[in-house]
């Protein structure tokens, strides 16, 4: 992307970059913040956004994640590659702090469950920890960062000698001071003074020659001299030599440690680059959290759709004044690529343009944006910006000349993967000429397929957009009654400048305003009014067309579904009739065979009366049995017919409910229909699940399944809850269960919970209202609510958070993603609250 520095200044991204760099603890992180360029590769953008968003969640919810101890180690580690170098003591302290932070970070990620923070965990997987290096450092340094006495045997002996010598010097100097006080040379309240490492006695300047020694200093008034007595000079010299020896021993220890560290220097440097990268990502996440940023969706359809978008810098500035920003909704699609915004001055046109540009730039830089996470952004290869005044006396550029140069560059280089941002298009010169040039340039952008957000006051550009299929007008709304802008964008309509109304509000004399209105004439007012009417009618026609197409798709889908069900019913009827015909043929064959046997037996019995009556009775019995079978089959067929009718009716009702209600309620209604249909015959269930009656194989007792968790089932036997292996349960029908228990027991509930759990279940409400809460208040409330629902076995709950800016909803959903037991969550049906309510399904 060209001219990044200029674009960042125009859009205000340079201030965000500075803010990120200021929050970095390491030089590596600050360099990354200053050098990171925007990307034009979708996978790279997705990766950057993913890393930052995962870190944002960690900083919000994971208190055990280390956020301190990041030190600048690379500058002093690189020289250690040389065999003639050694680490110094302050650097060793920083190295220990950084390696300890690295150890704690790697331990954090190793303790996360798989898939919790996939990108950061993958980033950390290749990083080494250095426990042996840390152990060696801890042998050298104490917890205050000082070299331990026992860092080496030699150092221990030297420091013991130093302490002995300091004790001897202290005793001797105190004796000399007392003698000087006794002799009247030193004041009675005088005490030993230490200057530049020397132990000195304060005496009056008039008596300084009475104490043999070296005068090192005197007071500002000159009345007191500080003398090192000759008797302790030699002792101090010996003490100084011991300190020199101590420093040489410490240097030897550090050199020896450096020799141990040198083979691992490159690996340690790589680990510190990882720490610096984390530092940079943490800084981005911290800034994103400051303005409540979220991760948008990367659109693969070439759409730029911002929902509840806010300009972060403007929002902070307004917050300092106690004001709130008005979120914006902006949509650019492949069919409508350019948004032409018009409206009153100071009505928010430029803010809207800069918000789109800044958020798009932040997105391609890999940073969450202050907008709803349902926002969708595409990737642009170039961004062209013409905002403000670039006039230059040195380059002999006027305001309009600078605009033309920017237009020249955009016209030459822009394509269908470019975003063009132009403020006050065509201004800076004579309106007729400026408007004509602007309209021609706009037509070029349209032909090239560029995306763009353009602000203007020119009526000819509004007309052009109204007649274009790829450009959409947008109006900044204005309260005519209060004569003040509303800072809301209304797409599809051209805006009015409201110049006369604003002039009156500012206090321009009425005679001037009235004269201006007369000079503008009625045609000016009529043009604005007709233009808005045309745009409004066009938008209504487009909306109707969309609704008609949607209705056609729904009708086609329903027709296809009904045709499929009808064919299934016809196939079922045919199979029933074929089976009935086969059974009828079999009955006829059996009847004929029976009749033939009867005739043969009558003939063989030679017309014996008794035998003939018996044979005839057998034939009557057979006929009656055939009639009974036929009646039974007829009744069975009627049942089949009723069943088919019920199936058809049920499917019809399901379709009606799907059109009115959400899928959740439809499933509940279908369950009630299923129960009403199947009450005629209750079969034995074929699997163990909550609500199924079962018999315990080991004891023979019967009960009802309350809950199934893996291979274990909780069964209510009378008033007792017991856990049993699923393999040791046998399902029963309702009739079998009722026959196995006493009549008195049938009246009681088959499930008895403990009194405390029963009370909680009775008092538990499957919905919660967190509107008006701050995020810090809402998080623990929602966490406890989900925990209670899981404990009580509730499968679905709802959270009422409202719509607002969408921040509370997005952060609650972040929490739900990492909460164990949450299967899924989605918006409520639009008729029952839509995006203002989150439906949570639990395990």
């Amino acid at each position: 992307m060209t001219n990044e520095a200029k674009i960042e200044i125009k859009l205000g991204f340079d201030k965000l970059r500075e803010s990120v760099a200021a929050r970095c603890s390491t030089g590596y992180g600050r360099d990354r913040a200053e050098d990171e360029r925007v990307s034009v590769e979708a996978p790279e953008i997705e990766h950057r956004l993913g890393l930052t968003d995962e870190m944002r969640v960690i900083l919000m919810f994971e208190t055990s994640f280390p956020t301190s101890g990041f030190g600048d180690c690379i500058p002093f580690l690189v020289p250690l590659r040389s065999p003639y170098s050694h680490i110094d003591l302050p650097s060793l302290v920083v190295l220990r702090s950084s390696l300890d932070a690295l150890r704690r970070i790697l331990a954090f990620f190793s303790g996360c469950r798989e898939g919790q923070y996939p990108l950061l965990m993958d980033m950390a997987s290749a990083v080494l920890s250095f426990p042996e290096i840390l152990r060696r450092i801890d042998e050298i340094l104490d917890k205050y960062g000082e070299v331990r006495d026992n860092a080496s045997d030699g150092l221990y002996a030297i420091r013991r000698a130093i302490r002995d010598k300091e004790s001897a010097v202290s005793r001797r100097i105190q004796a000399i001071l007392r003698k000087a006080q006794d002799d009247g040379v030193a004041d009675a309240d005088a005490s030993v003074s230490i200057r530049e490492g020397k132990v000195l006695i304060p005496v009056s300047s008039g008596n300084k020659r009475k104490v043999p020694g070296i005068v090192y200093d005197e007071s500002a008034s000159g009345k007191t001299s500080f003398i090192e007595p000759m008797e302790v000079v030699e002792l101090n010299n010996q003490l100084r030599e011991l300190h020199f020896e101590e420093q040489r021993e410490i240097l030897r220890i550090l050199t020896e440690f450096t020799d141990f560290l040198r083979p691992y220097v490159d690996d340690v440097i790589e680990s510190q680059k990882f720490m610096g990268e984390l530092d940079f990502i943490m800084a981005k996440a911290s800034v994103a959290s400051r303005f409540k940023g979220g991760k948008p969706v990367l659109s693969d359809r070439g759409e730029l759709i911002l929902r509840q978008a806010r300009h972060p810098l403007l929002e902070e500035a307004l917050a300092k004044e106690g004001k709130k920003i008005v979120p914006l909704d902006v949509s650019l699609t492949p069919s409508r690529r350019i948004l032409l915004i018009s409206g009153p001055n100071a009505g928010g046109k430029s803010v809207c343009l800069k918000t789109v540009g800044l958020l798009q730039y932040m997105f391609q830089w890999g940073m969450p944006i202050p907008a709803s996470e349902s926002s969708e952004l595409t990737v642009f290869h170039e961004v062209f910006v013409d905002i403000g005044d670039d006039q230059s006396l040195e380059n002999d550029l006027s305001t309009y000349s600078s605009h033309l140069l920017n237009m020249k560059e955009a016209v030459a280089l822009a394509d269908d993967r470019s975003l063009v941002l132009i403020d006050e298009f065509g201004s800076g010169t004579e309106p007729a000429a400026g408007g004509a040039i602007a309209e021609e340039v706009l037509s070029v952008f349209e032909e090239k397929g560029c995306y763009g957000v353009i602000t203007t006051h020119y009526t000819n550009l509004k007309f052009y957009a109204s007649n274009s299929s790829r450009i959409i007008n947008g109006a900044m709304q204005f309260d005519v009654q209060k004569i003040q802008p509303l800072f809301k964008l209304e797409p599809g309509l051209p805006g009015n400048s409201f110049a006369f109304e604003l002039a009156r509000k500012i206090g321009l004399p009425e005679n001037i305003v009235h004269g201006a209105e007369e000079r503008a004439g009625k045609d000016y007012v009529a043009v604005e009014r007709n233009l808005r009417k045309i745009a409004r009618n066009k938008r209504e026609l487009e909306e109707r067309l969309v609704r008609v197409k949607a209705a056609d798709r729904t009708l086609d889908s329903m027709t296809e579904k009904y045709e499929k069900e009808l064919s299934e019913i016809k196939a079922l009827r045919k199979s029933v009739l074929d089976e009935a015909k086969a059974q009828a043929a079999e009955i006829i064959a059996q009847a004929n065979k029976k009749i033939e046997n009867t005739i043969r037996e009558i003939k063989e019995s030679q017309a014996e009366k008794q035998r003939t009556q018996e044979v005839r009775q057998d034939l009557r019995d057979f006929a009656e049995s055939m009639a009974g079978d036929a009646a039974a089959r007829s009744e069975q067929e009627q049942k089949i017919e009723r069943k088919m009718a019920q199936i058809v009716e049920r499917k019809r009702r399901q379709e009606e409910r799907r059109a009115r209600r959400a899928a959740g309620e439809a499933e509940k209604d279908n369950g009630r229909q299923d129960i009403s249909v199947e009450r005629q015959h209750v079969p034995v269930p074929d699997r163990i699940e909550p609500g199924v009656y079962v018999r315990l194989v080991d004891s023979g007792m019967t009960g009802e399944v309350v809950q199934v968790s893996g291979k274990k089932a909780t069964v209510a036997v009378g008033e007792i809850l017991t856990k049993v292996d699923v393999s040791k349960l046998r399902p029963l029908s309702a009739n079998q269960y009722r026959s196995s228990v006493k009549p008195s027991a049938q009246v009681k509930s088959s499930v008895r919970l403990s009194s405390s759990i029963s009370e909680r279940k009775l008092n538990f409400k499957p919905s919660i209202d967190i509107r008006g809460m701050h995020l810090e208040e809402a998080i623990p409330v929602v966490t406890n609510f989900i925990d209670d629902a899981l404990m009580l076995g509730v499968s679905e709950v709802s959270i009422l958070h409202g719509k607002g800016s969408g921040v509370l909803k997005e952060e609650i959903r972040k929490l739900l993603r990492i909460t164990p037991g949450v299967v899924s969550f989605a918006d409520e049906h639009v008729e029952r609250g839509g995006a203002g309510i989150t439906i949570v399904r639990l395990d």
Side-chain angles (χ1 to χ4, degrees):
M1 191 177 291
T2 57
N3 297 325
E4 286 188 35
K6 173 186 172 183
I7 294 172
E8 291 184 10
I9 294 173
K10 292 290 185 180
L11 297 178
F13 183 80
D14 57 327
K15 295 182 176 61
L16 287 179
R17 186 189 289 273
E18 291 171 2
S19 182
V20 172
R23 288 175 180 260
C24 292
S25 302
T26 65
Y28 185 93
R30 286 187 289 274
D31 291 342
R32 290 283 288 111
E34 293 168 359
D35 299 337
E36 183 86 314
R37 307 268 73 85
V38 294
S39 175
V40 296
E41 301 295 332
E44 173 65 17
I45 295 172
E46 188 75 22
H47 182 71
R48 292 182 185 180
L49 282 171
L51 287 172
T52 308
D53 195 57
E54 287 181 8
M55 182 59 72
R56 185 176 66 90
V57 175
I58 287 175
L59 294 179
M60 288 182 62
F61 301 112
E62 303 287 358
T63 57
S64 61
F65 184 79
T67 56
S68 60
F70 291 76
D72 267 327
C73 298
I74 295 178
F76 65 76
L77 284 173
V78 172
L80 297 184
R81 291 169 173 163
S82 170
Y84 304 105
S85 61
H86 67 83
I87 194 169
D88 57 24
L89 191 56
S91 298
L92 187 63
V93 173
V94 174
L95 180 61
R96 180 175 69 172
S97 174
S98 185
L99 290 180
D100 184 63
L102 173 65
R103 176 189 62 79
R104 290 183 286 127
I105 288 171
L106 296 180
F108 170 83
F109 284 121
S110 65
C112 294
R113 66 176 183 269
E114 185 177 357
Q116 188 172 3
Y117 304 111
L119 296 179
L120 288 173
M121 290 173 69
D122 180 67
M123 181 178 169
S125 62
V127 179
L128 300 175
S129 61
F130 304 92
E132 182 60 23
I133 295 177
L134 268 175
R135 189 187 67 80
R136 291 286 189 101
I137 296 176
D138 287 337
E139 288 180 350
I140 297 172
L141 300 179
D142 59 16
K143 63 180 179 180
Y144 304 108
E146 301 293 336
V147 179
R148 296 176 181 271
D149 291 351
N150 59 355
S152 72
D153 294 339
L155 184 61
Y156 181 80
I158 293 170
R159 286 186 171 174
R160 185 174 60 181
I162 289 174
R163 285 192 293 270
D164 293 343
K165 192 65 67 176
E166 287 176 342
S167 179
V169 170
S170 178
R171 289 193 301 270
R172 188 60 191 148
I173 200 73
Q174 290 294 341
I176 295 173
L177 178 60
R178 284 194 298 270
K179 186 177 183 304
Q181 290 171 334
D182 293 339
D183 294 342
V185 175
D187 295 336
D189 58 349
S191 61
V192 174
S193 176
I194 299 177
R195 299 198 176 189
E196 298 180 1
K198 302 282 187 182
V199 183
L200 309 175
I201 295 175
V203 298
S204 60
S205 297
N207 297 323
K208 62 183 178 182
R209 300 191 181 278
K210 295 180 180 180
V211 180
I214 301 172
V215 178
Y216 269 95
D217 201 0
E218 66 179 7
S219 64
S221 62
K223 294 180 179 180
T224 303
S225 297
F226 296 92
I227 301 173
E228 181 183 20
M230 292 301 296
E231 296 180 39
V232 298
V233 168
E234 182 59 28
L235 291 175
N236 279 335
N237 288 339
Q238 294 174 8
L239 186 60
R240 192 177 299 109
E241 288 177 0
L242 286 173
H243 281 298
F244 290 151
E245 190 175 348
E246 177 190 26
Q247 292 303 315
R248 287 194 296 271
E249 179 61 19
I250 291 175
L251 180 59
R252 187 195 67 79
I253 294 171
L254 294 176
T255 302
E256 182 180 309
F257 171 78
T258 304
D259 292 338
F260 160 75
L261 177 65
R262 190 167 289 113
Y264 308 104
V265 163
D266 290 336
D267 292 332
V268 176
I269 289 175
E270 289 302 315
S271 73
Q272 294 308 301
K273 289 181 180 179
F274 165 76
M275 295 288 285
E277 192 69 25
L278 273 189
D279 183 34
F280 170 54
I281 295 172
M282 278 182 17
K284 285 203 297 182
S286 178
V287 173
S289 296
R290 191 182 75 194
F291 52 68
K292 302 178 181 63
K295 178 186 175 185
V297 177
L298 178 59
S299 173
D300 56 359
R301 301 185 300 274
E303 295 178 335
L304 188 158
I305 302 174
L306 290 173
R307 298 183 176 94
Q308 297 294 299
R310 311 178 311 279
H311 194 292
L313 302 178
L314 177 61
E315 186 175 25
E316 283 192 340
L318 291 175
K320 293 177 181 178
E321 300 175 5
K323 301 177 182 178
K324 289 186 177 181
I325 195 169
V326 179
L328 293 168
D329 291 341
V330 178
S331 177
L332 299 179
T333 64
S335 59
R336 290 295 182 91
R337 297 185 172 223
I338 299 177
L339 173 64
L340 186 73
I341 305 175
S342 51
N345 288 313
K349 300 189 302 297
S350 298
V351 170
C352 181
L353 179 145
K354 290 182 178 180
T355 300
V356 173
L358 179 58
L359 268 56
Q360 178 67 39
Y361 201 89
M362 290 170 62
F363 166 72
Q364 294 193 215
W365 198 64
M367 193 169 184
I369 63 173
S372 168
E373 287 194 340
S374 61
S375 299
E376 300 180 44
L377 295 175
T378 188
V379 179
F380 295 110
H381 296 170
E382 291 289 347
V383 176
F384 298 95
V385 177
D386 182 27
I387 300 174
D389 190 355
D390 289 335
Q391 66 175 325
S392 170
L393 297 177
E394 293 82 359
N395 298 326
D396 194 23
L397 283 178
S398 65
T399 299
Y400 189 64
S401 298
S402 66
H403 288 317
L404 289 178
L405 284 177
N406 291 333
M407 293 304 98
K408 175 184 175 183
E409 180 185 28
V411 167
L413 302 178
D415 57 19
D416 61 349
R417 300 307 303 163
S418 300
L419 176 65
V420 179
L421 305 171
I422 305 175
D423 193 24
E424 300 294 347
F425 197 23
S427 64
T429 189
E430 194 272 324
I437 293 174
E439 185 174 339
E440 191 61 29
V441 172
L442 183 59
S443 69
V444 173
F445 290 151
E446 182 184 14
E447 291 173 4
K448 285 175 170 282
C450 303
Y451 288 76
V453 179
I454 298 172
T455 69
T456 187
H457 288 284
Y458 287 172
T459 303
N460 66 309
L461 297 182
K462 302 177 194 178
F463 267 118
Y464 185 89
S466 298
N467 296 317
S468 171
S469 61
R470 306 185 78 176
I471 304 175
I472 182 172
N473 271 305
M476 299 309 297
Q477 296 181 8
F478 189 84
D479 189 335
V480 181
Q481 302 297 325
K482 297 181 180 179
I483 315 297
Q484 65 182 23
L486 299 176
F487 305 107
K488 293 181 179 179
L489 176 66
E490 184 179 8
L493 295 177
N496 193 316
S497 297
F498 295 100
F500 301 132
E501 290 82 354
L502 288 173
R504 286 192 175 93
K505 181 183 179 182
I506 290 175
L508 203 64
E510 178 59 30
N511 62 325
I512 295 178
V513 177
H514 183 69
E517 287 178 331
E518 290 183 346
R519 288 178 181 273
K522 296 181 179 180
D523 291 343
Y524 170 79
V525 178
V527 166
E528 290 287 341
R529 184 185 300 113
N530 291 332
L531 185 60
R532 291 179 65 83
K533 183 177 180 181
I534 291 170
R536 186 181 293 109
N537 291 340
K538 182 179 179 182
R539 186 177 66 176
E540 290 177 356
L541 288 174
E542 290 175 348
E543 291 174 352
R544 288 182 183 179
L545 182 61
V546 170
R547 288 197 296 271
V548 169
K549 289 181 178 179
D552 287 343
R553 287 194 298 269
T554 303
L555 183 60
D556 292 341
S557 176
M558 293 175 64
T559 302
E560 182 182 354
K561 190 173 296 183
Y562 288 148
E563 289 177 350
K564 182 179 178 181
E565 289 180 357
L566 184 60
S567 64
E568 290 176 354
I569 292 172
K570 288 180 178 178
L572 179 61
R573 179 182 292 276
K574 184 177 182 301
S575 66
V576 171
L577 291 175
D578 291 344
E579 184 180 356
K581 289 178 181 178
Q583 290 177 352
E586 184 180 355
I587 290 170
I588 293 171
Q590 290 179 359
N592 290 335
K593 185 177 180 181
K594 186 67 175 177
I595 293 171
E596 290 174 358
N597 289 338
T598 303
I599 294 171
R600 187 178 64 255
E601 288 183 7
I602 291 174
K603 288 180 178 180
E604 290 176 353
S605 65
Q606 296 180 355
E608 291 182 6
K609 185 176 181 180
Q610 181 65 29
R611 180 59 182 159
T612 301
Q613 289 178 351
E614 292 176 355
V615 172
R616 287 179 176 175
Q617 184 61 41
D618 290 342
L619 183 59
R620 282 194 294 270
D621 293 342
F622 175 75
E624 290 176 359
S625 68
M626 289 296 102
D629 291 344
R633 281 190 292 272
S634 177
E635 183 179 353
Q636 185 178 5
E637 289 175 2
Q638 291 176 5
K639 287 183 179 180
I640 292 174
E641 291 291 340
R642 288 197 300 270
K643 186 73 173 178
M644 290 172 58
Q646 289 170 350
I647 291 172
V648 173
E649 180 63 17
R650 186 193 311 165
K651 289 184 177 180
R652 185 184 66 78
R653 291 178 181 176
Q654 287 176 349
E655 291 300 330
E656 291 178 355
R657 286 187 176 88
R658 286 194 187 98
R660 300 193 308 267
R661 301 181 181 177
E665 287 198 3
E667 291 175 1
K668 295 176 184 177
D669 291 340
N670 293 340
R672 289 195 289 269
Q673 291 175 5
D674 290 344
I675 292 172
S676 66
V677 170
E678 296 174 3
R679 276 179 182 164
Q680 298 175 5
H681 175 66
V682 182
V684 177
D686 57 356
R687 65 176 183 174
I688 305 299
E689 58 185 3
V692 170
Y693 298 115
V694 293
R695 185 185 302 278
L696 281 66
V697 175
D698 293 341
S699 63
M701 293 187 294
T702 58
E704 182 179 354
V705 177
V706 177
Q707 185 178 6
V708 178
S709 299
K711 296 182 179 180
K712 292 282 188 180
T714 303
V715 181
V717 181
E719 296 184 2
I720 300 173
L721 290 177
T722 180
K723 283 195 174 181
V724 187
D725 287 337
V726 175
S727 61
K728 295 184 178 181
L729 299 175
R730 296 293 180 267
L732 301 175
S733 68
N735 293 334
Q736 290 173 332
Y737 173 74
R738 283 193 292 270
S739 64
S740 67
V741 298
K742 296 180 180 179
S744 61
Q746 294 179 7
V747 181
K748 299 179 182 180
S749 172
S750 61
V751 179
R752 293 287 188 266
L753 301 175
S754 66
S755 59
S756 61
I757 296 179
S758 298
E759 184 178 354
R760 291 186 69 175
K761 194 158 188 175
L762 287 172
N763 294 331
F764 180 78
K765 295 181 180 178
S767 63
I768 187 173
D769 187 352
I770 59 172
R771 291 175 298 177
M773 292 187 184
H774 293 292
L775 182 60
E776 295 77 8
E777 301 174 85
I779 291 297
V781 170
V782 173
T783 301
N784 293 334
F785 175 65
I786 296 297
D787 289 345
D788 287 346
L790 289 170
M791 184 185 69
L792 297 174
V794 179
S795 61
E796 182 177 295
V797 296
S798 63
I799 302 173
L800 174 58
H801 42 65
K803 297 180 181 178
S805 65
V807 174
L808 183 59
K809 167 187 173 182
E810 293 157 12
E811 299 309 327
I812 291 299
R813 292 193 171 188
K814 285 287 185 183
L815 174 64
L816 293 175
R817 287 193 185 97
I818 63 173
T819 300
V822 175
V823 176
S824 64
F825 52 84
D827 287 346
E828 175 61 280
H829 190 276
V830 66
E831 294 181 357
R832 293 185 293 278
I837 301 175
T838 294
I839 300 298
V840 185
R841 292 177 177 82
L842 306 174
D843 189 0

